[in-house]
Amino acid sequence: MTIIYNNQTLATDKQGYLLDFTQWNEDVAVLLAESDDIELSESHWEVIRFVRTFYLTYNTSPAIRALTKAMKAEFGEEKASSRYLYRLFKEGPAKQATKYAGLPKPARCI
Amino acid sequence: MAMLHIVRTSGFNNNALAQCLDTTLPHDSILLIDDGCYNLQHPLLLELLLQKTDIKCFYIGLHATARAQLKPADVFAEISLDDVNELIFTHNNSITWS
Amino acid sequence: MSDIQHNTKTVAILNTQAPFSSSAGKEALDAALIFGSFEQPTSLFFIGDGVFQVIGDQNPTSIESKDYLKTFSALEFYDIDNIYICEQSLSERNLTANFHIDNVQVLSKQAFNELLHQHNVIYRF
């Protein structure tokens, strides 16, 4: 599968995850979210940027448990609850935020 | 905590046997299966069993004879595959060196 | 409720191979992250050539290997805080205690073996 950005074709896997994470930028994130009918709010962005930085630092997409634990250190208890994150990303925060951040889907993860 | 060490490769070919012997504690057991039966003649294993008499070593008779590993020393006990289950349940945990 | 929810078995992952020439190290780490995600108490052990996975100053990307070593620093987010290294394996390889992860414990062979024996399930990579 592919998405079109700036007259360029970006390859994705069947579930819409970018195959090459270096092709990502914030405009691409908007496109990826649009394909799921989601409009990104500032709260979404906070998580997407966080997940992106996590991946660039640790070379792995965080699973949900790791995501909440890491976010707690950065943003405090309230925003690190899985309830808050599920409200933002209904299909599973790690799975969905990872997708819009242009990263590979985390292994065996919701 | 007695551990069952299941050795499946020949110590003449790689260091899994040496590493296994290095991790044993008193009252552990060693089980030789498949190519692990070639270790019936391995000097490191023989030396350890003679020194540490509280470590038992079993081997699958069928696997040994299939490999012409006949007449092992007295420190080894022959068992059948059917006996393996019991061995696993009489130890606290197990590790496979393959 | 299934038995799994009451399962408090401890998992030990024993690393025995160097990082790049086989996928064993990467697979061991992936397994650890999955156990961690499911809140299974998990410890990592490094012995033999496995200690080459944790030493500092490595440069995997220069030999076109994906740098999975960076992922070790994320283990704390998976509640994996027990990382044990065999002192004898280090000294046999003329290595000093210079690691790319922080909270590791270098143990004598005896202490290393005793801790390993205390885990319920042991996977060797």
Side-chain angles (χ1 to χ4, degrees), chain A residues 54-63 65-67 69-70 73 107-108, chain C residues 33-34 36-39 66-68 70-71 73-74 76-79 81:
Chain A
F54 189 99
Y55 184 84
L56 295 177
T57 311
Y58 301 115
N59 261 356
T60 185
S61 299
R65 223 178 111 68
L67 177 62
K69 192 163 180 190
R108 297 204 200 174
Chain C
L33 296 183
I34 288 167
S37 301
F38 288 96
E39 300 182 45
K66 189 189 166 184
D67 190 355
Y68 81 92
K70 281 165 86 174
T71 306
S73 302
E76 57 168 310
F77 303 121
Y78 291 80
D79 289 323
D81 303 314

Side-chain angles (χ1 to χ4, degrees), chain B residues 65-85:
Chain B
T65 51
R67 289 168 175 77
Q69 299 299 302
L70 313 169
K71 297 189 187 159
D74 290 340
V75 284
F76 298 103
E78 178 179 346
I79 60 166
S80 73
L81 274 174
D82 292 340
D83 302 323
V84 173
N85 258 353

Side-chain angles (χ1 to χ4, degrees), chain B residues 18 22 26 30 32-33 36 38 48 56-57 64-65 67 79-80 87 89 92:
Chain B
D22 233 16
I30 300 169
L32 308 177
I33 65 176
Y38 290 120
L48 179 111
K56 288 198 214 86
C57 187
T65 51
R67 289 168 175 77
I79 60 166
S80 73
L87 263 192
F89 285 109
N92 301 98

Side-chain angles (χ1 to χ4, degrees), chain A residues 12 35 47 58 67:
Chain A
T12 70
S35 64
V47 183
Y58 301 115
L67 177 62

